[in-house]
């Protein structure tokens, strides 16, 4: 079975070294307006993979039962990752969990957390993948979906 490449508006900087992160974030962008809950669930999956990659790349010891909360709260991780980054991981984790368990979500929340995920992508690219800050693009708002009639569509 062949993997699907989901081109993103804001996450292509990750494509070369972490194509799965670029793909997951691309799917989140696709859902941001019409299905905010799915967007947040995808973003939670995105940070879970990103956190796991950080452990691997930095050679950090994994906790005994590595669920996402334990991975983020692990002392080795917390001393390696800046608090502003930890806060973004926690925000996406918390809201992604709520979305996965049926709490209604808004497009405003999904737009906010998509921007947080972009900030994480830039940090990850620079610090973990040894990329250049100059390569990081400016965040672009995800365009509203267009209906068959050509009008922008904001809700499902």
């Amino acid at each position: 079975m062949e993997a699907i490449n989901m081109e993103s508006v804001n996450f292509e900087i990750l494509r070369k070294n972490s194509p799965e992160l670029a793909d997951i974030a691309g799917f989140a962008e696709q859902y941001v307006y019409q299905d905010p809950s799915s967007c947040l669930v995808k973003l939670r999956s995105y940070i879970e993979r990103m956190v796991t990659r950080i452990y691997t790349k930095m050679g950090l010891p994994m906790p005994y039962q590595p669920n996402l909360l334990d991975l983020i709260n692990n002392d080795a991780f917390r001393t390696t990752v800046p608090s502003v980054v930890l806060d973004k991981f926690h925000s996406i984790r918390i809201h992604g969990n709520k979305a996965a368990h049926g709490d209604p979500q808004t497009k405003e929340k999904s737009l906010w957390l998509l921007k947080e995920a972009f900030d994480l992508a830039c940090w990850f690219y620079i610090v973990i993948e040894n990329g250049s800050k100059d390569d990081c693009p400016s965040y672009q708002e995800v365009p509203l979906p267009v209906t068959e009639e050509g009008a922008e569509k904001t809700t499902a």
Side-chain angles (χ1 to χ4, degrees):
M1 186 169 171
E2 193 173 317
I4 298 171
N5 284 344
M6 175 54 70
E7 191 170 330
S8 69
V9 174
N10 291 295
F11 298 90
E12 290 305 303
I13 193 163
L14 299 174
R15 175 107 19 230
K16 180 179 177 191
N17 295 316
S18 302
E20 74 286 355
L21 292 177
D23 286 343
I24 294 168
F27 279 110
E29 286 178 334
Q30 293 294 312
Y31 298 136
V32 71
Y33 293 110
Q34 293 174 304
D35 190 353
S37 292
S38 291
C39 171
L40 296 179
V41 170
K42 284 292 185 188
L43 290 178
R44 190 200 177 286
S45 176
Y46 163 84
I47 65 159
E48 190 161 14
R49 288 194 186 201
M50 183 178 281
V51 166
T52 301
R53 296 264 332 232
I54 293 167
Y55 269 85
T56 301
K57 289 280 222 172
M58 301 195 96
L60 300 175
M62 292 288 257
Y64 175 64
Q65 292 184 322
N67 65 59
L68 184 56
L69 179 60
D70 290 343
L71 289 171
I72 296 172
N73 284 337
N74 184 343
D75 287 339
F77 190 78
R78 293 176 59 80
T79 58
T80 303
V81 175
S83 61
V84 66
V85 172
L86 293 171
D87 291 345
K88 291 175 190 296
F89 281 138
H90 278 300
S91 293
I92 293 171
R93 178 190 62 78
I94 289 165
H95 294 289
N97 285 347
K98 288 179 179 182
H101 294 286
D103 286 1
Q105 302 301 315
T106 64
K107 76 174 181 202
E108 290 78 17
K109 189 183 296 179
S110 64
L111 286 165
W112 162 56
L113 290 169
L114 196 60
K115 173 70 168 76
E116 297 290 277
F118 170 77
D119 292 346
L120 289 171
C122 291
W123 175 83
F124 183 86
Y125 176 76
I126 294 164
V127 174
I128 304 302
E129 295 186 340
N130 298 313
S132 169
K133 184 178 183 191
D134 294 337
D135 293 338
C136 290
S138 296
Y139 182 76
Q140 296 177 44
E141 290 297 326
V142 176
L144 288 167
V146 177
T147 64
E148 288 180 23
E149 295 80 33
E152 290 180 337
K153 186 175 171 184
T154 58
T155 58

